[in-house]
C-alpha cells in the first residue's frame, strides 16, 4: 500500500550560492544523541569496525565521560570497546553541533518519549534536526534511528525539502535490548527503509559494517515494524502477568504451571514468566501505536492496565496477609530490568510510592543504580526490613540468606513465598 505521506523522490536542490563546502570524507558517521543508551553502543560498534565516528550529544556530562573513557551508563562489553576505539582514535564525543558538517552519514537516535497525555511528541525529531540544520550539507545521508510514530520519516523528508537540502533520508530502526547491545548490534538483521534508491544503497552499505542481513521495507512499514516489535513483547508480558494473577488468586503457583505448559511444547515455549514489564520503550511504544490508530488499540491499552497495575495488585495481595502499617518493607531492585542501572519508567518506583502510603517504612536497594540517593546497603535492608520484595531480578538477590518473607514474583529464588 502506498503511504499517504509519500513524497517526490527527487528533493529540491539548493542554489550554488547557498552551497557549503563540506569535507564529507573527514568523518564517516556523526550520531545525534550519540551518548545515549542506543547512540553510544551503535557508535562504539561502528568505530570498532574502523569507521571514524563522532558522537554529538547535548548532555555535557555524558560527552565528558565518553571522552574520559568512562561509560555514562552500564552496558556489558562497551567499556572494553570504548578503550580500544579511543586508543585507535576512531571515536570521540562532542557537544558541538558543527561536528555534523563533515560527516558522510548522520544518524539521529535522540529519545522519543510520550507526553503526560500518553501521546508521542511528533516534533521532537524534527526539532533535533532543525537544531543542527545549519550544519547539514548537500550529499549527506541522514538515517533516522529513533523509534517514531508512523509518518515521522515523511515529515523529516519534508523538513529537508523545506530547508532546500539535498540529503538522502533512510529510516533504520534500532532493535537491540539494553544489556545485549554489544552482541545484538552484530547479530540482528537490520531493517532499512527509504523512498530513494540511492539512500537505500548508502544505508545498506553503512549497516553492512555491522549486520550480515538487511531487510527492506517502505518507511511507514518500517516505522510500524519497530512499534509492532515492542508492542508484541509488551502484550506477551501482559498475558503472562494476567495469567500469573489468575493462578495466584486461585492459590496456585503460576511458575509451576508455566513450567508444565512450556515443557517440550514448542508452541507455548515463548510464554514469559511474570514480573514488572517496564522501562523506557515498551509502554511508550505501545502508546505510540495506540495514538497512531486513533486511540483504538484495546489489546495494547489492556496490556498497559495489566503491566502497570501489577505493583498495585502485589500490594493489595500483601495487605490480605500482613498489616503493612506496622512493617518496614524492603524493595530489592530499582532498575527496570535485571543487571541494569537504568531506572527509567521502572515499576519499582511505582511500588515504592504505593508502599510509602501503606507501610510504616520503605527501604530500597539496587547494586547497579547510582543516581538514587535513597538507596541503602543490602545488609542494612536485610536487617531492618520485616518483609522483602524482589522487584528486579538481579542475580545478586538469588542467594542471600534471610528468615524474613521474600515476595518473589519473578521466581528468582524458587523458595520465595507467593504474594
Ligand atoms: N533504550 C533502548 O533499549 C532502545 C532500544 C531500541 C530503540 N530505542 C529508541 O532509541 C531512541 C533513543 O533511546 P535511548 O534509550 O538511547 O535514549 P537516551 O535518553 O538514553 O539517549 C538519547 C540521547 O540523546 C541526547 N539528545 C537529546 N536531544 C538531543 C539533541 N537535540 N541533540 C543531540 N543530542 C540529544 C540525550 O542527551 C541522550 O544522551 C528512542 O527513540 C528509543 O525509543 C531505545
Amino acid at each position: 500500500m502506498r503511504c499517504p505521506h509519500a513524497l517526490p523522490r527527487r528533493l529540491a536542490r539548493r542554489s550554488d550560492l547557498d552551497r557549503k563546502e563540506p569535507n564529507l570524507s573527514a568523518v564517516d558517521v556523526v550520531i545525534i544523541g550519540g551518548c545515549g543508551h542506543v547512540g553510544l553502543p551503535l557508535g562504539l560498534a561502528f568505530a570498532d569496525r574502523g569507521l571514524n565516528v563522532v558522537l554529538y550529544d547535548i548532555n555535557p556530562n555524558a560527552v565528558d565521560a565518553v571522552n574520559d573513557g568512562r561509560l555514562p551508563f552500564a552496558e556489558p562489553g562497551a567499556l572494553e570497546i570504548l578503550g580500544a576505539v579511543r586508543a585507535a582514535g576512531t571515536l570521540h564525543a562532542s557537544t558541538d553541533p558543527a561536528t555534523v558538517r563533515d560527516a558522510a552519514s548522520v544518524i539521529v537516535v535522540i529519545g522519543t518519549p510520550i507526553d503526560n497525555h500518553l501521546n508521542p511528541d511528533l516534533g521532537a525529531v524534527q526539532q533535533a534536526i532543525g537544531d543542527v540544520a545549519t550544519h547539514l550539507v548537500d550529499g549527506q545521508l541522514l538515517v533516522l534511528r529513533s523509534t517514531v510514530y508512523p509518518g515521522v520519516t515523511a515529515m523529516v523528508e519534508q523538513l529537508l525539502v523545506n530547508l532546500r537540502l539535498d540529503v538522502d533520508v533512510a529510516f533504520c530502526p534500532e532493535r537491540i535490548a539494553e544489556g545485549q547491545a554489544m552482541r545484538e548490534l552484530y547479530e540482528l538483521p537490520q531493517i532499512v527503509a527509504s523512498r530513494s534508491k540511492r539512500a537505500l544503497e548508502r544505508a545498506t552499505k553503512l549497516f553492512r559494517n555491522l549486520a550480515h542481513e538487511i531487510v527492506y521495507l517502505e518507511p511507514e512499514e518500517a516505522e510500524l515494524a519497530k512499534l509492532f516489535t515492542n508492542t508484541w513483547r509488551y502484550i506477551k508480558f501482559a498475558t503472562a502477568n494476567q495469567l500469573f494473577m489468575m493462578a495466584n488468586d486461585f492459590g496456585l503457583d503460576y511458575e509451576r504451571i508455566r513450567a508444565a505448559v512450556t515443557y517440550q511444547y514448542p508452541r507455548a515455549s515463548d510464554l514469559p514468566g511474570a514480573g514488572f514489564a517496564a522501562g523506557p520503550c515498551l509502554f511508550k511504544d505501545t502508546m505510540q501505536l495506540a495514538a497512531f490508530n486513533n486511540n483504538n488499540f484495546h489489546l495494547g491499552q489492556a496490556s498497559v492496565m495489566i503491566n502497570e497495575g501489577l505493583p498495585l495488585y502485589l500490594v493489595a495481595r500483601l495487605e490480605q496477609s500482613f498489616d503493612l502499617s506496622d512493617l518496614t518493607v524492603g524493595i530489592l531492585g530499582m532498575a527496570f530490568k535485571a543487571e541494569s542501572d537504568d531506572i527509567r519508567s521502572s515499576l519499582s518506583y511505582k511500588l515504592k510510592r504505593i508502599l510509602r502510603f501503606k507501610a510504616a517504612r520503605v527501604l530500597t536497594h539496587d547494586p547497579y543504580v547510582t543516581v538514587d540517593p535513597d538507596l541503602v546497603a543490602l545488609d542494612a535492608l536485610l536487617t531492618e526490613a520485616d518483609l522483602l520484595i524482589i522487584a528486579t531480578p538481579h542475580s545478586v538477590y538469588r542467594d542471600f540468606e534471610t528468615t524474613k518473607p521474600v515476595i518473589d514474583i519473578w521466581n528468582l529464588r524458587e523458595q520465595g513465598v507467593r504474594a
Side-chain angles (χ1 to χ4, degrees):
M1 197 183 78
R2 284 305 292 165
C3 154
H5 308 290
L7 293 171
R9 278 161 195 258
R10 194 179 294 275
L11 297 173
R13 293 191 65 85
R14 296 172 149 229
S15 73
D16 284 341
L17 278 179
D18 290 331
R19 199 176 298 277
K20 296 170 184 170
E21 290 304 327
N23 177 12
L24 295 188
S25 60
V27 177
D28 296 306
V29 184
V30 166
I31 301 180
I32 300 180
C35 294
H37 289 80
V38 165
L40 180 54
L42 180 69
L44 289 171
F46 278 132
D48 196 38
R49 290 286 153 102
L51 272 62
N52 195 353
V53 177
V54 175
L55 308 173
Y56 163 58
D57 204 293
I58 54 173
N59 180 342
N61 295 332
V63 166
D64 287 347
V66 170
N67 286 335
D68 289 348
R70 293 177 284 117
L71 294 176
F73 48 84
E75 184 62 49
L79 193 61
E80 296 76 2
I81 299 180
L82 178 59
V85 296
R86 282 180 70 245
T90 52
L91 177 131
H92 82 272
S94 173
T95 54
D96 180 1
T99 52
V100 165
R101 192 166 192 275
D102 290 331
S105 300
V106 178
I107 302 179
V108 183
V109 282
I110 61 151
T112 47
I114 46 174
D115 65 17
N116 289 343
H117 306 282
L118 305 183
N119 290 319
D121 176 359
L122 291 182
V125 169
Q126 288 97 312
Q127 179 69 50
I129 295 172
D131 289 347
V132 298
T134 53
H135 308 290
L136 289 171
V137 290
D138 288 350
Q140 289 180 315
L141 170 69
L142 189 138
V143 174
L144 186 54
R145 197 163 176 79
S146 298
T147 303
V148 295
Y149 184 90
V152 168
T153 306
M155 289 185 203
V156 168
E157 290 163 338
Q158 186 61 56
L159 173 73
L160 295 168
V161 169
N162 295 345
L163 292 168
R164 301 175 66 227
L165 278 163
D166 186 4
V167 167
D168 289 330
V169 178
F171 175 62
C172 306
E174 178 62 82
R175 294 193 296 167
I176 54 113
E178 282 180 38
Q180 316 282 335
M182 298 322 305
R183 181 177 54 78
E184 291 191 341
L185 274 164
Y186 303 107
E187 289 180 1
L188 296 180
Q190 177 62 53
I191 293 174
V192 169
S194 178
R195 267 174 272 279
S196 135
K197 185 164 174 289
R198 194 174 64 180
L200 277 183
E201 287 167 2
R202 293 177 74 181
T204 299
K205 188 165 174 233
L206 178 62
F207 282 101
R208 279 253 184 259
N209 285 295
L210 307 180
H212 31 98
E213 274 194 86
I214 305 287
V215 178
Y216 295 104
L217 287 177
E218 290 293 316
E220 289 68 29
E221 291 174 331
E223 290 168 335
L224 279 178
K226 172 61 200 187
L227 292 183
F228 287 176
T229 304
N230 280 3
T231 299
W232 172 234
R233 203 162 145 74
Y234 195 63
I235 291 170
K236 278 208 283 191
F237 290 143
T239 304
N241 285 333
Q242 175 112 68
L243 298 181
F244 159 76
M245 290 187 255
M246 214 179 265
N248 198 53
D249 286 344
F250 204 62
L252 298 177
D253 184 340
Y254 171 71
E255 264 310 312
R256 239 176 90 77
I257 301 167
R258 186 174 81 97
V261 169
T262 55
Y263 181 67
Q264 293 193 9
Y265 194 72
R267 277 190 293 284
S269 61
D270 61 346
L271 176 62
F276 289 166
C281 292
L282 301 187
F283 174 17
K284 72 106 172 152
D285 290 340
T286 303
M287 289 298 92
Q288 288 210 73
L289 192 53
F292 168 70
N293 206 38
N294 296 323
N295 232 16
N296 181 15
F297 185 21
H298 302 308
L299 202 50
Q301 283 141 348
S303 299
V304 170
M305 301 308 288
I306 294 163
N307 287 331
E308 289 286 309
L310 193 55
L312 280 161
Y313 168 84
L314 206 61
V315 175
R317 285 295 313 225
L318 287 175
E319 283 182 302
Q320 291 173 14
S321 310
F322 301 94
D323 180 0
L324 294 178
S325 63
D326 271 350
L327 300 182
T328 295
V329 180
I331 302 178
L332 297 166
M334 300 308 287
F336 86 85
K337 67 191 276 191
E339 321 310 333
S340 167
D341 65 352
D342 193 346
I343 60 168
R344 292 179 296 170
S345 304
S346 168
L347 284 173
S348 301
Y349 285 90
K350 184 165 185 174
L351 178 65
K352 180 182 173 185
R353 271 197 300 278
I354 300 164
L355 285 170
R356 278 166 93 176
F357 281 110
K358 307 272 187 179
R361 202 155 67 112
V362 183
L363 298 175
T364 55
H365 172 265
D366 193 291
Y368 301 103
V369 172
T370 55
V371 292
D372 180 347
D374 291 342
L375 299 179
V376 300
L378 182 58
D379 284 351
L381 184 145
L382 294 179
T383 306
E384 291 180 40
D386 304 300
L387 179 65
L388 305 166
I389 302 176
I390 299 179
T392 313
H394 295 313
S395 54
V396 67
Y397 300 140
R398 202 182 295 275
D399 297 320
F400 62 80
E401 302 272 322
T402 184
T403 52
K404 319 268 174 75
V406 182
I407 310 304
D408 180 15
I409 52 172
W410 298 94
N411 203 39
L412 188 67
R413 295 162 63 86
E414 289 176 34
Q415 75 272 28
V417 298
R418 279 201 298 272

